[in-house]
Amino acid sequence: MSAKITFTPLSYTGWGALDHLMDEVKRFDAKRILVVTDPLLEKLGITDKVTEPLAAAGIQAELYTEVVPEPPLEVGEKLVRFTREREFDLVIGLGGGSALDLAKLAGVLATHEGDVADYLNLTGTRSLTHKGLPKILIPTTSGTGSEVTNIAVLSLTTTKDVVTHDYLLPDAAIVDPALTVSLPPKVTAATGIDALTHAIEAYVSVNANPVTDGLALQAIRLISGSIRTAVTDGSNKEARSDMSYGSFLAGLAFFNAGVAGVHALAYPLGGQFHISHGESNAVLLPYVMGYIRPSCEKRMRDIYEAMGFTLSEQHNGEDSLKCVEELKRLVADVEIPLSLQGFGITEEALESLTADAVKQQRLLARSPMQLERDDIYAIYRIAYEGVVREKS
């Protein structure tokens, strides 16, 4: 079976990659630049690493810092209106997934008509027709992979939806692990497990292929081997570099193979309870993978081996079970709650979570095990109880 493989046109990776920023700005002959970023990054002085070289070159840059985690649709609408009202010729996204997703929206929709809502995957009635403004994306976390994907995620009242099209791909991605050193342990943990989830779901996806398999397995090796150190010792250059490369590879893997059940069930956790995307994925990861394990046992063994463990000689399912146990242990080690109750979610909420997760057919279609409504409810209940069980 053939497979379409899409990569970002140009990426710079590794320690000091930000030094290439001005090369890209000059390539687009940009004179007036919008920088979409998180207000905390401005406070920490990280935005200066972008704005000072621009100012030294006589280029006008305007910071837009009205970015919030898990951005609601209204935040996206406001940014697009702001961008349309000014004559920018380049958009730079600097920050975590929220800032990067919003920068992608601003760049593309600045030259389109209508609202952001008109282009949503589940309910929109319009289609993107052209690329819009050039976009440079610079992640400051190792997790979302937004810098190499064509997706922008927005929070709705109780769930999430996306705008997705290859026009959202950046013209250049600059992935510099030096920008992640100041990331707090909690955010390092959540975004790191998010990246690991991207790699794992890409590897077991029904759309997986040899190219995405290679990307996903290497991402799993890098992330699982470095995340604990990155969380406890954020200044560790090797751990930060491995996390950065792992997140980048995981982004490429899931962009081409897709994510599935973990993400489908995570969206309502963010929508209804405002749990961060990374934590939503983390609390569900061992339970979704444990539930669907019979449908991807061989691939779970591969994941276990990529995490650094020696496989048993019996090949009888023991390793895939150990893989699920290790995923749960990893989430615990980076101090993310291991049950929905740990996030204050009540048993009564499981029905509404299920109702919203069922709508995520774009994601559910990639699961190696078909997940119906009863399956989704069962997984939420398992995650609520904090006990791994497979489908009976």
Side-chain angles (χ1 to χ4, degrees):
M1 180 183 294
S2 65
K4 176 187 175 184
I5 304 294
T6 304
F7 291 156
T8 298
L10 177 66
S11 297
Y12 298 96
T13 62
W15 208 270
L18 188 60
D19 292 344
H20 295 281
L21 173 62
M22 292 310 299
D23 295 335
E24 290 307 301
V25 171
K26 292 174 183 176
R27 179 162 70 96
F28 296 111
D29 194 28
K31 303 299 182 187
R32 182 172 170 80
I33 298 175
L34 171 65
V35 180
V36 180
T37 190
D38 187 296
L40 179 59
L41 297 183
E42 183 182 22
K43 183 178 179 181
L44 293 173
I46 293 177
T47 55
D48 294 343
K49 298 177 185 296
V50 169
T51 57
E52 288 180 356
L54 294 174
I59 298 171
Q60 183 178 357
E62 184 164 353
L63 282 182
Y64 186 95
T65 61
E66 295 184 43
V67 172
V68 297
E70 319 299 322
L73 174 62
E74 294 75 19
V75 171
E77 300 281 16
K78 184 176 181 180
L79 171 58
V80 169
R81 288 195 297 269
F82 176 88
T83 309
R84 287 173 176 171
E85 290 168 358
R86 291 157 172 81
E87 295 183 357
F88 296 112
D89 47 25
L90 174 68
V91 177
I92 295 176
L94 175 70
S98 297
L100 302 189
D101 283 4
L102 289 171
K104 289 191 279 191
L105 281 178
V108 175
L109 291 181
T111 59
H112 282 76
E113 295 182 349
D115 298 328
V116 177
D118 297 331
Y119 298 90
L120 290 174
N121 177 67
L122 295 179
T123 58
T125 57
R126 289 177 179 261
S127 299
L128 298 175
T129 59
H130 54 280
K131 190 175 180 180
L133 303 177
K135 299 171 289 297
I136 300 173
L137 299 185
I138 309 169
T140 60
T141 67
S142 296
T144 69
S146 179
E147 71 276 6
V148 293
T149 71
N150 67 355
I151 302 168
V153 184
L154 295 164
S155 296
L156 306 182
T157 305
T158 61
T159 186
K160 294 183 179 183
D161 201 354
V162 301
V163 178
T164 177
H165 194 287
D166 282 356
Y167 290 142
L168 271 72
L169 284 168
D171 295 273
I174 299 176
V175 185
D176 189 337
L179 297 175
T180 69
V181 170
S182 61
L183 206 62
K186 182 178 180 180
V187 182
T188 299
T191 56
I193 297 294
D194 186 19
L196 182 64
T197 304
H198 292 156
I200 289 172
E201 290 213 282
Y203 190 66
V204 302
S205 167
V206 297
N207 294 331
N209 60 71
V211 175
T212 61
D213 286 350
L215 295 167
L217 288 175
Q218 180 64 0
I220 292 166
R221 292 185 190 100
L222 290 168
I223 296 167
S224 64
S226 59
I227 187 170
R228 291 177 175 91
T229 301
V231 169
T232 59
D233 180 12
S235 63
N236 187 295
K237 185 174 180 179
E238 182 179 2
R240 287 296 192 186
S241 293
D242 284 353
M243 289 297 297
S244 181
Y245 277 115
S247 172
F248 177 74
L249 294 171
L252 294 174
F254 95 81
F255 174 42
N256 286 283
V259 289
V262 179
H263 277 72
L265 273 66
Y267 277 6
L269 291 181
Q272 294 187 31
F273 295 97
H274 308 293
I275 301 170
S276 77
H277 179 62
E279 289 178 318
S280 298
N281 278 332
V283 72
L284 291 167
L285 178 61
Y287 306 113
V288 173
M289 299 312 297
Y291 191 85
I292 70 171
R293 186 189 66 84
S295 69
C296 53
E297 186 175 299
K298 168 63 170 64
R299 296 221 149 209
M300 293 289 288
R301 291 180 70 251
D302 296 341
I303 292 168
Y304 186 59
E305 185 176 33
M307 294 177 77
F309 297 93
T310 301
L311 298 180
S312 64
E313 296 180 0
Q314 288 76 19
H315 300 273
N316 59 2
E318 178 184 353
D319 293 320
S320 62
L321 288 168
K322 287 181 178 178
C323 180
V324 176
E325 293 170 3
E326 180 57 27
L327 292 176
K328 190 174 183 181
R329 185 178 299 111
L330 181 56
V331 172
D333 285 351
V334 297
E335 299 187 356
I336 295 175
L338 282 174
S339 74
L340 297 184
Q341 294 182 68
F343 287 98
I345 296 173
T346 64
E347 186 176 5
E348 290 72 25
L350 302 186
E351 283 288 355
S352 63
L353 289 170
T354 300
D356 280 338
V358 168
K359 300 174 185 176
Q360 298 296 334
Q361 291 299 313
R362 178 182 66 90
L363 304 178
L364 294 169
R366 302 172 186 143
S367 174
M369 176 184 289
Q370 187 172 349
L371 297 176
E372 305 290 353
R373 183 186 180 92
D374 289 348
D375 297 308
I376 293 170
Y377 181 84
I379 294 170
Y380 276 131
R381 175 160 289 284
I382 291 166
Y384 174 79
E385 296 169 355
V387 179
V388 173
R389 287 196 299 271
E390 64 186 56
K391 183 173 182 177
S392 56

